[in-house]
Amino acid sequence: MGRGVFWDKMVQTKTVRRSVKPGGVRFGKPKSKKVKQVVEKPKTFVEKPIGGEKNGGTRKVRVKKLPAYYASQPNPKKRAKRIKRHTKPLRSSLTPGTICILLAGIHKGKKVVFLKQLKSGLCLVTGPFKINACPLRRVNQIYLIATATKLNISAFGIPKHINDKYFRRVKAKRPKKEEGDIFEQKQEKYVPSAQRKKDQAVVDGLVMSVIRKREDKKMLFGYLGTTFSLRNKMYPHRLKF
Amino acid sequence: MPKETFRKLIQIGRVVYLNEGPYRGKLAVIVDIIDCNKALIDGPCSGVPRQAFKFSEMFLTKYLLKINRSQRSKILRGVWDEAQINEKFAASKWNQNLEKEVVRSNMTDFDRYKLGRARQSRNRLLNRVHNHIRKQHFKALRVAKMKKDKKSK
């Protein structure tokens, strides 16, 4: 209430000030005096009857409710729109063809071949599947140790349809209300689709052909097949990979 | 003190291997003993300037130079070169082990795998020969025992 009165006064004083102009002598033709049409101001308060014996019968109520929130600044600056996140930069040690050690997930400890970075920033890796049963997968680079061993695969092309969308989880369809209980639905076991198997074969074939060209191919095949683990007196911060 | 108990002593002229600080891994010689913790060392032929150095931060080597107390660097250089300390240490087992350590620490993961496989195949050969010799040895023992038993009967 009190606030509303204060504001009304402010409006009044403002209008008075405006009518007196600085250096207020006017020259020229005086304006013809017109009879101003008195426009009735819209009311700010309305008297409303209220119930209850000891409540005085009526109450002044605002026609327009005051806003519940006042900005602390008159014209708060709008925040600049957040810039869309770009793909995270890759570590310099991760280049296509780098043999990496996986640190997390079901395949941890396995050595995999880094193929490329996808748009989301995740890394596309492959076992190859035939050697160590690690399929084409996406991994965050923080879960990869890049080794100094690199394959020369910069030239070959990975099928373009293998992107982030390709790896998205397929949502299981929920049964409609009529069709049985929702709790009874069994989780289906993951079975790679024919398309995935085909892509796996294509990519692995390319990787294998590169390995076969190397002189130390026999050792490398064995190396990719083993898992990494820390032994006695192996300090990972001192190791060179 | 019997000589055999301590072969290497802290004494003037003792060549030491520095294990700490910016001169880590270098050789120097004890020129003077400051107190029970520090010595004055000098390495004119190994790039170590004359300085005080803690005993706890050095290892004693088997080399001993014949020098006087607080001998000047210039004279020290001559004695050092004459004793061929640099050459002797370079050929020593100690230095070989140091070099081995460097090679090991620079090994990549793939190298470590290859080393493991190499050791495996070496051990396979060794074990095959060793087991063969062992078998023959026990066989010979058994035969000898049987002969002995026959004779006694």
Side-chain angles (χ1 to χ4, degrees):
Chain A
M1 265 308 216
R3 193 163 201 178
V5 172
F6 171 71
W7 271 44
D8 283 0
K9 266 188 186 171
M10 287 281 287
V11 172
Q12 262 186 357
T13 50
K14 258 189 181 174
T15 50
V16 170
R17 267 185 209 152
R18 265 179 203 162
S19 65
V20 182
K21 287 192 172 178
V25 187
R26 281 180 75 100
F27 297 98
K29 213 177 166 187
K31 268 186 183 174
S32 58
K33 278 184 182 173
K34 267 185 185 176
V35 181
K36 269 189 182 174
Q37 271 192 341
V38 181
V39 184
E40 234 182 280
K41 270 188 180 176
K43 280 181 181 174
T44 45
F45 292 99
V46 174
E47 240 171 50
K48 276 189 178 176
I50 50 165
E53 281 175 21
K54 292 174 183 176
N55 286 337
T58 55
R59 183 74 37 99
K60 268 172 114 180
V61 177
R62 277 191 179 273
V63 175
K64 253 189 179 178
K65 252 189 171 179
L66 285 173
Y69 162 77
Y70 292 97
S72 54
Q73 281 179 323
N75 285 319
K77 269 185 190 174
K78 274 189 180 174
R79 266 192 186 176
K81 262 193 176 177
R82 236 182 127 188
I83 300 161
K84 212 184 155 196
R85 273 177 68 195
H86 300 290
T87 49
K88 252 204 156 182
L90 260 187
R91 243 180 296 147
S92 59
S93 53
L94 280 169
T95 52
T98 304
I99 291 172
C100 304
I101 299 165
L102 271 180
L103 293 178
I106 199 166
H107 299 288
K108 68 182 154 197
K110 285 183 185 176
K111 281 131 198 173
V112 292
V113 181
F114 170 75
L115 298 171
K116 69 168 183 179
Q117 191 184 30
L118 298 171
K119 227 176 181 184
S120 63
L122 296 170
C123 302
L124 183 67
V125 297
T126 184
F129 187 75
K130 215 178 182 184
I131 297 180
N132 56 22
C134 182
L136 274 167
R137 263 171 94 79
R138 288 186 301 171
V139 203
N140 192 331
Q141 57 175 323
I142 63 170
Y143 300 121
L144 287 175
I145 291 177
T147 68
T149 317
K150 285 177 199 291
L151 301 176
N152 186 21
I153 66 162
S154 53
F156 81 59
I158 301 149
K160 271 194 175 171
H161 64 271
I162 300 178
N163 50 21
D164 285 305
K165 212 177 170 189
Y166 178 84
F167 288 102
R168 262 184 139 175
R169 215 163 279 175
V170 183
K171 255 194 175 178
K173 275 182 187 173
R174 284 172 89 187
K176 282 178 187 174
K177 274 183 184 176
E178 291 94 42
E179 293 175 27
D181 197 6
I182 47 164
F183 298 110
E184 265 187 27
Q185 197 197 8
K186 274 184 187 172
Q187 274 201 331
E188 275 181 39
K189 213 184 166 189
Y190 171 76
V191 180
S193 63
Q195 177 67 37
R196 283 230 176 174
K197 280 182 185 170
K198 198 179 143 198
D199 292 333
Q200 187 70 55
V202 169
V203 175
D204 282 2
L206 290 165
V207 175
M208 297 286 237
S209 67
V210 171
I211 299 174
R212 276 192 205 107
K213 275 177 201 160
R214 286 175 66 115
E215 261 180 34
D216 54 355
K217 57 182 176 181
K218 213 176 168 188
M219 274 288 172
L220 201 58
F221 276 128
Y223 174 63
L224 284 167
T226 55
T227 54
F228 173 80
S229 62
L230 286 172
R231 307 256 158 73
N232 242 1
K233 289 186 179 177
M234 271 168 91
Y235 307 109
H237 55 286
R238 281 192 210 155
L239 282 182
K240 215 181 147 196
F241 291 94
Chain B
M1 199 187 295
K3 228 182 177 181
E4 288 76 31
T5 319
F6 295 108
R7 275 183 211 156
K8 303 174 204 165
L9 297 172
I10 290 173
Q11 62 202 112
I12 288 160
R14 174 66 61 187
V15 177
V16 291
Y17 176 86
L18 308 181
N19 198 34
E20 210 68 46
Y23 301 104
R24 188 181 179 155
K26 286 187 172 177
L27 293 179
V29 63
I30 293 179
V31 178
D32 199 352
I33 288 157
I34 298 167
D35 58 24
C36 62
N37 292 321
K38 293 187 292 273
L40 184 69
I41 59 157
D42 199 358
C45 294
S46 55
V48 180
R50 212 174 171 95
Q51 62 188 296
F53 216 84
K54 280 188 197 169
F55 290 130
S56 61
E57 292 172 353
M58 59 173 86
F59 293 139
L60 304 179
T61 67
K62 62 183 175 184
Y63 312 118
L64 189 64
L65 298 182
K66 270 192 178 175
I67 54 167
N68 293 329
R69 180 162 163 253
S70 295
Q71 192 99 57
R72 282 165 61 197
S73 289
K74 202 178 170 187
I75 298 165
L76 219 60
R77 185 188 286 274
V79 180
W80 184 293
D81 281 340
E82 203 178 317
Q84 293 184 319
I85 297 298
N86 281 350
E87 290 79 6
K88 275 183 191 164
F89 185 77
S92 67
K93 197 87 184 169
W94 187 342
N95 191 42
Q96 280 174 21
N97 284 337
L98 289 174
E99 278 170 358
K100 222 186 277 175
E101 225 167 74
V102 173
V103 170
R104 265 181 195 278
S105 66
N106 280 331
M107 270 203 310
T108 67
D109 197 44
F110 189 29
D111 291 336
R112 254 172 263 137
Y113 171 77
K114 282 194 260 188
L115 175 70
R117 291 301 297 269
R119 284 172 61 142
Q120 219 174 19
S121 52
R122 181 198 64 183
N123 288 344
R124 205 172 285 147
L125 287 173
L126 282 177
N127 283 339
R128 196 183 296 157
V129 177
H130 174 241
N131 284 338
H132 180 68
I133 294 166
R134 201 161 168 264
K135 230 178 178 179
Q136 281 196 328
H137 171 67
F138 284 119
K139 204 178 171 186
L141 280 184
R142 238 182 294 137
V143 170
K145 202 189 172 194
M146 275 168 74
K147 270 185 187 172
K148 207 181 173 187
D149 286 350
K150 260 189 186 176
K151 266 190 183 176
S152 64
K153 273 179 187 177

